């Protein structure tokens, strides 16, 4: 469903589904209850200014009755953002694709308290292309290679590559050296390298972390290879066969080698301001695929490194 509002400052309008029936006399009344954490008068003033619109772009009013529209669009009010002081590097650009090297701490798309400080908005503004859309995503805490589509006409062909698992993704991670580490016989969780780890991961609403369900059929798989180690840390290569949320972080934590500076796994720590000196030691290192439009073999490698990797 196309937005009736254009991209503004690199940010697209937000679409909200409105029930056609319910206890609210107006769309505005529904939105006041839906966004209970906002000042009601400030929200109603946005209706008065014509900032909340219908599918055809016409402004709605504070007395527009419930049922008049099933979807409304509006621009999010920009949050007060903390600047993410790391640059996004464009690795490749052509008519259909852009590949960037994302720094730690920068989210892929706008959300929560991050709007201008997101890879998508920065890139739209940098390249002056409001049609840019990410083909896949990286966690805010993860650095490395990220792929964007430049135009809708060819977007589906690249999205299918990921849906059909035809993109080879390679990551690397650094973990604190497990207490049980045996240099003479490297292993994690009793399994010698290389390790194929599988489990069932579910993302539930209102939960920050994903949930592992050991009694269900595995839906995630990662090949874990040893890159190196020293007396402090363990360095691994990760080749995910699936793309579940937080998969690599969960798999290493389950094997007793949670990633260095991970505040989610194996234990969720209290929320605190970003410590830019301690980025999560996880890096999306390589992307390889056969281009669905040209048949060419594509290969991209990050220029970034993990600061805590052993020499």
């Amino acid at each position: 469903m196309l937005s009736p509002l254009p991209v503004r400052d690199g940010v697209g309008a937000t679409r909200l589904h409105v029930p056609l029936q319910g206890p609210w006399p107006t769309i505005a009344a529904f939105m006041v209850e839906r966004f209970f954490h906002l000042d009601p008068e400030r929200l109603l003033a946005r209706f008065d200014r014509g900032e909340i619109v219908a599918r055809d772009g016409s402004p709605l009013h504070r007395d527009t009755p419930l049922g008049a529209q099933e979807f409304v669009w509006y621009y999010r009010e920009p949050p007060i953002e903390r600047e993410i002081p790391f640059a996004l590097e464009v690795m490749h650009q052509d008519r259909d694709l852009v590949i960037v090297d994302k720094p730690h701490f920068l989210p892929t798309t706008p959300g929560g308290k991050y709007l201008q400080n997101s890879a998508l908005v920065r890139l739209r503004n940098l390249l002056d292309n409001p049609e840019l859309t990410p083909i896949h995503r990286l966690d805010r805490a993860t650095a490395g290679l990220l792929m964007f589509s430049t135009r809708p006409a060819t977007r589906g062909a690249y999205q299918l590559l990921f849906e059909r698992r035809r993109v080879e993704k390679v990551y690397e991670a650094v973990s604190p050296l497990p207490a049980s580490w045996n240099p003479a016989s490297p292993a994690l969780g009793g399994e010698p390298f290389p390790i194929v780890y599988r489990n069932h991961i579910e993302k539930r609403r209102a939960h920050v972390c994903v949930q592992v369900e050991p009694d269900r059929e595995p839906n995630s798989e990662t090949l874990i290879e040893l890159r190196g180690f020293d007396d402090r840390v363990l360095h691994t290569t990760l080749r995910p066969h699936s793309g579940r949320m937080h998969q690599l972080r969960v798999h290493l934590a389950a094997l007793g080698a949670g990633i260095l500076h991970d505040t989610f796994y194996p234990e969720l720590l209290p929320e605190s301001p970003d410590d830019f000196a301690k980025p999560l030691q996880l890096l999306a290192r390589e992307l390889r695929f056969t281009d669905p439009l040209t048949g060419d073999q594509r290969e991209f490698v990050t220029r970034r490194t993990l600061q805590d990797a052993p020499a």
Side-chain angles (χ1 to χ4, degrees):
M1 189 180 299
L2 295 177
S3 170
L5 297 174
V7 171
R8 185 175 72 182
D9 297 329
V11 182
T14 295
R15 184 184 72 186
L16 176 68
H17 178 260
V18 179
L20 296 176
Q21 296 179 337
W24 311 276
T26 63
I27 290 175
F30 164 74
M31 292 184 66
V32 166
E33 183 173 316
R34 168 69 173 77
F35 300 109
F36 62 90
H37 55 289
L38 300 179
D39 177 9
E41 284 305 317
R42 186 171 177 178
L43 179 56
L44 292 172
R46 299 196 69 188
F47 280 92
D48 297 339
R49 293 194 298 267
E51 295 177 0
I52 298 174
V53 305
R55 188 171 183 176
D56 62 359
S58 60
L60 303 178
H61 307 284
R62 64 166 68 197
D63 59 356
T64 300
L66 191 76
Q69 299 292 333
E70 188 174 2
F71 295 95
V72 301
W73 280 261
Y74 57 92
Y75 292 111
R76 286 180 57 203
E77 293 189 313
I80 299 174
E81 298 184 61
R82 182 187 184 189
E83 182 70 17
I84 305 299
F86 305 109
L88 186 74
E89 181 183 359
V90 176
M91 301 280 290
H92 169 85
Q93 181 180 359
D94 62 31
R95 187 165 178 253
D96 302 291
L97 281 182
V98 175
I99 310 293
V100 302
D101 215 351
K102 185 185 85 68
H104 293 286
F105 302 104
L106 190 73
T108 299
T109 56
K113 55 188 176 182
Y114 299 100
L115 194 62
Q116 292 298 321
N117 280 279
S118 65
L120 175 60
V121 174
R122 282 192 183 182
L123 198 59
R124 280 177 172 173
N125 290 332
L126 176 67
L127 302 181
D128 192 24
N129 182 355
E131 294 187 332
L132 276 168
T133 301
I135 301 297
H136 66 119
R137 284 169 168 76
L138 294 177
D139 293 343
R140 188 174 81 86
T142 304
L145 298 178
L146 193 55
M147 183 189 304
F148 290 82
S149 162
T150 65
R151 59 195 186 107
T154 57
R155 186 168 300 148
Y158 292 100
Q159 289 172 329
L160 280 175
L161 289 177
F162 283 90
E163 291 176 14
R164 296 174 177 175
R165 297 178 180 176
R166 293 179 179 172
V167 178
E168 181 184 357
K169 296 178 287 183
V170 181
Y171 294 72
E172 60 178 282
V174 174
S175 307
L177 196 70
S180 60
W181 184 256
N182 181 356
S185 183
L188 287 178
E191 295 288 331
F193 289 95
I195 301 166
V196 175
Y197 191 83
R198 304 179 182 91
N199 66 4
H200 190 99
I201 295 173
E202 287 292 334
K203 177 63 175 76
R204 297 174 184 163
R205 291 191 64 171
H207 287 260
V208 174
C209 297
V210 300
Q211 310 297 307
V212 174
E213 301 185 0
D215 297 330
R216 297 184 64 182
E217 186 73 18
N219 63 359
S220 62
E221 177 181 312
T222 305
L223 172 64
I224 304 170
E225 301 167 320
L226 180 63
R227 290 178 66 86
F229 60 91
D230 60 18
D231 58 356
R232 306 176 302 110
V233 296
L234 172 69
H235 195 189
T236 51
T237 296
L238 311 169
R239 302 178 188 272
H241 180 63
S242 51
R244 296 289 170 176
M245 182 176 179
H246 295 172
Q247 174 178 320
L248 304 179
R249 299 162 72 170
V250 169
H251 284 182
L252 281 176
L255 290 166
I259 299 174
L260 191 62
H261 307 316
D262 193 346
T263 60
F264 282 24
Y265 309 96
E267 177 185 2
L268 179 61
L269 301 180
E271 186 176 3
S272 61
D274 289 331
D275 184 346
F276 294 141
K278 293 182 178 180
L280 178 74
Q281 292 299 280
L282 179 61
L283 178 65
R285 180 183 171 185
E286 301 169 29
L287 284 174
R288 295 187 185 88
F289 56 93
T290 301
D291 192 292
L293 303 182
T294 66
D296 294 339
Q297 296 300 309
R298 302 270 203 166
E299 179 175 350
F300 304 97
V301 180
T302 182
R303 293 191 181 100
R304 300 183 188 275
T305 58
L306 293 174
Q307 66 181 28
D308 291 290

